[in-house]
Amino acid sequence: MLRRGGASLLQQLRLAATEAALPAAVARDAGLVTQRLLHSSAGSSIKFAGAPIPLTTGRQRLVILGTGWGGARLARDIDPAKYDITIVSPRNHMVFTPLLASTCVGTVESRSVTVPIVDIQPSLQQPQNFYYAAQCSAIHPDDKLVECVSEDGLRFFVEYDQLAIATGSQGSTFGIPGVEQHTRFLRDAAHSTLIRSELVANWNKANIPGRSPQDRDRLLHVVVVGGGPTGVEFAGELSDFIKRDLRKIDPGRARDMRITMVEANELLGSFDSRLREYAARRLTQEGVQLVKGVVKEVREKEVELQDGRIIPFGLCVWSTGVGPTPFVLSLPFSKTPRGRLAIDKRLRVLMPPKLQASGHVWADGEKGPGPTKLTDVSMQQDEEDTEQHKDWAPVPNVYALGDCCADPDRPLPALAQVAEQQGKYLARVLNEAAAKLEPAEPRPFVYKHLGSMASLGGERAVLELGDGKQPKFSWAGFSSWVAWRSAYLTRLGTMKHRLYVAGDWTLTLLFGRDISRW
């Protein structure tokens, strides 16, 4: 065996590759063995993953972690003639999240709002580019390696020249007991499929002879926790589904279905007060009960509020905001008090200097400052902390975008349009830098708020254009619903998916929502 000593991880992998493939190395180029290892399991006994050997083109390799709004926009806009591309994500598609609520009740089918990443970036079909269905488990910036694990547990490494972290966030539970076990989040197509199945299952269970009236009422009761756009749109879609489709099947059962929305502060809190009032009035007219309160605990069949009220449910949808993922918290980079990766104005990930002012030397692999586990995260604390991060410096060639990161000087909200604009900006910066030996410092990223929209069910919506704090223009009603549909239809990634959605809307209008396949 070759001695590894104090070699870096990359050197150890190359030495291990030489040992594991020594007989074959006589007949092959040794560099290919190394490349094969970087896409293989690493350990005392090397197991090859069976992936094709990466084609070396001489271009830099851009590795993108995640296929959300930021990662997908970066993948779409990056020039494949300037970079070889590797995308690592457990899902091979981008989800058009504004229409997720519609998929829960069959207004739109799930396939219509999931755009395959290979459709977004067709060059992934070329041999030098890759998509890996895997989770990233660690990043080794000193060796420029990303450590990954496939769904069936195979561990492999990917080498990068430029790295973009766009792994997003997860639904925030605020540490409330029972949320993860007994509620449904609405952040992915898989979530909407579960909600859709559970809705119909409860609808059918409620009609079984001999069921007690209390249990029947519980099964027909849907509780939505969180009054943001996601919760409001789901409640609106569900009320429209009950009124237009379920009443045709069983008027009595449909009449007994109830929707309760629990919100601690204000409905659609980021919108203009006039739009908030309109939304509350419209939802109430559609039969949605609005309850102001804070959830204390969620049990299998009921929600308990801080004031002692108990709300039984057959289905509880949790949409109260987002928080950091365990993967982001585990990374060896600086983080804000809310657990998001700290970035500078050019989306570069930050870290303290190796030598601290206190004399502490920052060791390789040592976790960066900020929270390292979910219990350390404070969602109430401001992300700005100028005293803490004044000496942080950018990590070379490592960027972050989307919900997983924030600029400590001016944190932006976790919105799809923030992530998409960051992806567009980073693609432009990397494309411009690829052709230069010493690229100039790029201009800082500037976010432009384009407005906010929310559907209220039926043919009603609220729309606000311009800056969120000082809206330039806002309106509500049927015309805003038309604008809502038109805007989102044009924002879909491909013409194929625009036709899918337009077709789903047309079929729903003519024949009602399809519940036979649930």
Side-chain angles (χ1 to χ4, degrees):
M1 291 290 291
L2 298 175
R3 296 184 61 186
R4 287 162 174 73
S8 69
L9 176 61
L10 186 57
Q11 291 171 329
Q12 292 182 41
L13 289 173
R14 285 174 173 157
L15 286 170
T18 305
E19 296 172 22
L22 194 57
V26 176
R28 295 185 199 141
D29 179 80
L32 294 182
V33 176
T34 301
Q35 289 290 346
R36 187 178 179 183
L37 176 73
L38 291 176
H39 292 72
S40 309
S41 299
S44 56
S45 61
I46 302 299
K47 298 179 181 178
F48 291 118
I53 299 172
L55 175 65
T56 301
T57 64
R59 293 188 286 262
Q60 292 190 60
R61 179 159 297 276
L62 169 66
V63 175
I64 303 173
L65 307 181
T67 54
W69 283 88
R73 183 58 190 257
L74 172 59
R76 193 190 86 172
D77 288 2
I78 200 70
D79 188 348
K82 297 178 178 179
Y83 291 91
D84 294 337
I85 305 166
T86 297
I87 298 177
V88 180
S89 175
R91 68 183 192 194
N92 67 346
H93 57 270
M94 172 206 165
V95 178
F96 193 77
T97 50
L99 295 179
L100 264 185
S102 299
T103 67
C104 294
V105 297
T107 307
V108 175
E109 292 298 320
S110 295
R111 71 162 188 175
S112 303
V113 301
T114 53
V115 186
I117 194 66
V118 73
D119 287 352
I120 295 173
Q121 179 48 268
S123 69
L124 286 172
Q125 301 173 67
Q126 298 175 2
Q128 73 273 18
N129 300 320
F130 296 90
Y131 161 74
Y132 294 124
Q135 295 269 9
C136 179
S137 58
I139 297 173
H140 306 280
D142 292 336
D143 296 300
K144 290 191 173 182
L145 286 178
V146 174
E147 185 175 344
C148 307
V149 180
S150 66
E151 187 176 351
D152 57 355
L154 188 61
R155 178 169 167 248
F156 63 98
F157 294 81
V158 178
E159 194 171 9
Y160 69 84
D161 296 296
Q162 305 288 342
L163 175 64
I165 306 170
T167 51
S169 57
Q170 65 181 8
S172 179
T173 66
F174 300 99
I176 299 172
V179 172
E180 291 187 1
Q181 296 84 357
H182 306 304
T183 70
R184 298 294 186 193
F185 295 93
L186 184 51
R187 297 182 53 76
D188 204 343
H191 297 157
S192 67
T193 300
L194 287 172
I195 291 172
R196 184 171 176 172
S197 299
E198 198 164 330
L199 271 173
V200 175
N202 289 344
W203 167 260
N204 292 330
K205 289 176 184 177
N207 201 37
I208 299 297
R211 190 173 299 280
S212 68
Q214 294 83 359
D215 198 31
R216 181 179 185 274
D217 288 345
R218 179 188 64 80
L219 287 169
L220 295 176
H221 189 196
V222 178
V223 174
V224 182
V225 181
T230 299
V232 166
E233 291 189 338
F234 172 73
E237 285 281 356
L238 180 56
S239 64
D240 190 64
F241 174 52
I242 296 169
K243 180 176 67 175
R244 292 175 184 258
D245 297 282
L246 295 184
R247 281 185 183 176
K248 296 177 182 178
I249 300 172
D250 188 335
R253 220 182 330 165
R255 185 175 57 251
D256 292 340
M257 282 203 72
R258 295 179 296 137
I259 307 170
T260 298
M261 177 171 288
V262 180
E263 170 56 45
N265 298 307
E266 292 185 353
L267 200 70
L268 296 177
S270 62
F271 283 70
D272 176 74
S273 60
R274 185 179 66 87
L275 297 182
R276 295 200 301 268
E277 293 172 4
Y278 176 85
R281 187 168 61 252
R282 175 68 184 176
L283 290 176
T284 302
Q285 291 171 353
E286 293 298 311
V288 179
Q289 182 183 7
L290 304 180
V291 174
K292 188 166 186 175
V294 178
V295 175
K296 177 182 179 182
E297 183 181 359
V298 182
R299 293 183 281 272
E300 184 179 3
K301 299 179 180 180
E302 61 187 20
V303 172
E304 181 180 355
L305 303 184
Q306 292 281 13
D307 59 11
R309 283 178 289 177
I310 303 294
I311 306 176
F313 65 81
L315 170 66
C316 181
V317 176
W318 193 268
S319 60
T320 59
V322 297
T325 62
F327 165 69
V328 167
L329 292 172
S330 72
L331 293 178
F333 306 123
S334 301
K335 303 169 196 75
T336 70
R338 295 190 181 183
R340 300 208 281 176
L341 292 173
I343 57 173
D344 66 4
K345 295 177 175 59
R346 295 168 179 84
L347 309 187
R348 297 175 296 194
V349 170
L350 299 176
M351 269 291 287
K354 289 287 184 181
L355 179 62
Q356 302 289 289
S358 62
H360 172 71
V361 178
W362 207 266
D364 292 341
E366 186 176 351
K367 293 187 182 298
T372 58
K373 52 184 182 295
L374 288 173
T375 53
D376 298 333
V377 176
S378 173
M379 300 305 292
Q380 282 74 42
Q381 188 173 351
D382 291 337
E383 292 187 286
E384 300 95 329
D385 191 346
T386 54
E387 293 301 317
Q388 182 189 30
H389 71 264
K390 61 182 180 181
D391 63 341
W392 292 352
V395 178
N397 309 110
V398 181
Y399 304 86
L401 57 159
D403 297 358
C404 70
C405 64
D407 181 348
D409 288 323
R410 47 187 187 98
L412 295 171
L415 298 175
Q417 58 180 304
V418 172
E420 186 181 33
Q421 289 183 34
Q422 288 177 335
K424 181 179 180 181
Y425 164 86
L426 184 56
R428 186 178 69 248
V429 168
L430 292 176
N431 287 337
E432 292 175 354
K436 302 175 182 177
L437 292 176
E438 295 184 6
E441 189 87 327
R443 289 180 297 175
F445 168 73
V446 178
Y447 169 61
K448 181 180 180 181
H449 186 72
L450 302 178
S452 303
M453 297 184 286
S455 170
L456 304 177
E459 290 82 28
R460 297 292 183 273
V462 291
L463 190 151
E464 185 177 84
L465 299 179
D467 185 78
K469 296 181 180 179
Q470 296 179 343
K472 298 177 182 177
F473 187 65
S474 63
W475 79 96
F478 177 77
S479 59
S480 59
W481 175 80
V482 173
W484 176 84
R485 281 204 164 184
S486 302
Y488 284 148
L489 189 63
T490 57
R491 297 294 295 170
L492 275 163
T494 66
M495 180 58 68
K496 176 176 69 175
H497 287 81
R498 292 171 195 163
L499 293 175
Y500 279 162
V501 169
D504 290 342
W505 283 340
T506 303
L507 291 174
T508 297
L509 177 64
L510 295 176
F511 305 110
R513 295 170 176 89
D514 183 6
I515 66 171
S516 62
R517 294 178 293 173
W518 290 10

